[in-house]
Amino acid sequence: MALFFGSITWAADQNYKVHLLTENFPPYNMERNGKNFGKDENIEGIATDIVREMFRRADIDYTLTLRFPWERVYQQVLTKPDFGVFVMSRSAEREDLFKWVGPIGPDDWVLLARNDSTITLQTLEDARLYKIGSYKGDVITEYLENHAIEPTSALRDQENALKLDRGQIDLWATGDPAGRYLAAQEGVRNLKTILRFNRADLYLAFNKETDDAVVAQLQQTLDAMRAQGEIEQYFNKYF
């Protein structure tokens, strides 16, 4: 599918590149060997595969780096032109801070417990009685705090799977399928969903100064991939 734009300022610059950042957030993006830093071919995952194909079809050059922690990645994209990050929840608080391409995939927000837990919840407010683990700087953590729930946040979300398994926390606030994938990587499988309390779509987010034509071309490319039924194939690869 051909893509045309009346004025593309970046196309005339052969050295133009978009600098993409990501984090370990399996199965969407992850370093092949589980490290907290990776470059280019050492990064894999559902979103990584989709984003690579988007940039290939749109004929836009890019660099790809996986970094830690998430807060550092977020601040870099927020302040540096032609930087992008994936995958990120498109929340109301973030809407005007970035330019968006997506959605790439879903992220249900859940509270997980061990299979032997007797906890039952009707609403998120009921969870205030329990010790909740979450991921530092993540939108789920922000959401809980905005609802007067103070979770104990970890620098790596998979730490919460181990804390839950050891009984150090009662509930784990995380995304689904990401949380279950992380837990399985840590050998933790005895978990059950206590409450689904929100749903977010995950996007590729760009610094606000990124050329609109770049964002538009990538969005059109992703839309074409979805219309052709290709996005589901990337999910099937990892499940």
Side-chain angles (χ1 to χ4, degrees):
M1 180 177 181
L3 303 172
F4 300 98
F5 295 90
S7 173
I8 303 180
T9 57
W10 53 268
D13 184 357
Q14 295 182 351
N15 296 318
Y16 179 82
K17 286 186 178 181
V18 174
H19 302 284
L20 296 175
L21 301 179
T22 190
E23 61 162 345
N24 273 316
F25 184 57
Y28 284 110
N29 19 275
M30 50 203 169
E31 204 278 336
R32 290 184 186 276
N33 300 306
K35 298 178 181 178
N36 287 324
F37 179 83
K39 297 279 288 185
D40 301 318
E41 69 277 359
N42 289 326
I43 306 170
E44 61 184 2
I46 297 169
T48 304
D49 292 349
I50 292 172
V51 168
R52 278 200 179 105
E53 184 63 11
M54 286 166 51
F55 273 79
R56 186 191 71 80
R57 295 189 188 190
D59 195 25
I60 300 173
D61 200 6
Y62 67 95
T63 65
L64 177 55
T65 305
L66 182 146
R67 293 188 185 279
F68 172 84
W70 166 253
E71 287 180 303
R72 177 186 175 190
V73 171
Y74 184 92
Q75 288 300 320
Q76 279 188 286
V77 178
L78 195 62
T79 57
K80 293 187 176 183
D82 297 316
F83 269 66
V85 59
F86 67 93
V87 286
M88 186 158 74
S89 297
R90 187 173 180 172
S91 65
E93 294 78 10
R94 294 171 173 173
E95 179 65 32
D96 295 331
L97 299 178
F98 302 92
K99 294 180 179 180
W100 304 89
V101 174
I104 293 174
D107 186 34
D108 287 346
W109 297 359
V110 296
L111 290 174
L112 299 178
R114 292 182 3 177
N115 272 341
D116 60 0
S117 173
T118 59
I119 295 173
T120 58
L121 303 175
Q122 298 300 317
T123 67
L124 183 61
E125 286 69 29
D126 296 339
R128 293 188 183 126
L129 299 174
Y130 302 97
K131 189 171 183 180
I132 302 172
S134 68
Y135 180 25
K136 185 176 177 63
D138 185 59
V139 67
I140 296 177
T141 301
E142 295 173 4
Y143 185 89
L144 293 177
E145 291 171 345
N146 288 337
H147 285 74
I149 297 173
E150 295 296 331
T152 301
S153 58
L155 288 176
R156 299 169 71 243
D157 205 17
Q158 50 265 56
E159 293 175 17
N160 288 307
L162 296 172
K163 287 182 179 180
L164 193 59
D165 191 53
R166 296 168 184 155
Q168 295 171 324
I169 56 176
D170 303 310
L171 298 166
W172 175 20
T174 187
D176 186 20
R180 291 184 183 278
Y181 188 95
L182 286 172
Q185 295 297 105
E186 298 295 327
V188 178
R189 292 179 172 83
N190 57 331
L191 303 180
K192 63 181 179 181
T193 301
I194 300 298
L195 183 71
R196 292 184 184 271
F197 60 93
N198 203 357
R199 176 187 171 93
D201 285 318
L202 301 174
Y203 282 73
L204 168 59
F206 290 97
N207 179 274
K208 287 282 284 187
E209 294 186 35
T210 305
D211 195 313
D212 285 339
V214 172
V215 177
Q217 185 157 354
L218 288 166
Q219 183 65 61
Q220 190 170 344
T221 302
L222 178 62
D223 290 344
M225 292 169 63
R226 177 165 283 110
Q228 293 161 12
E230 298 177 32
I231 301 301
E232 189 65 27
Q233 297 174 18
Y234 290 100
F235 279 82
N236 292 341
K237 176 181 174 182
Y238 288 89
F239 287 98

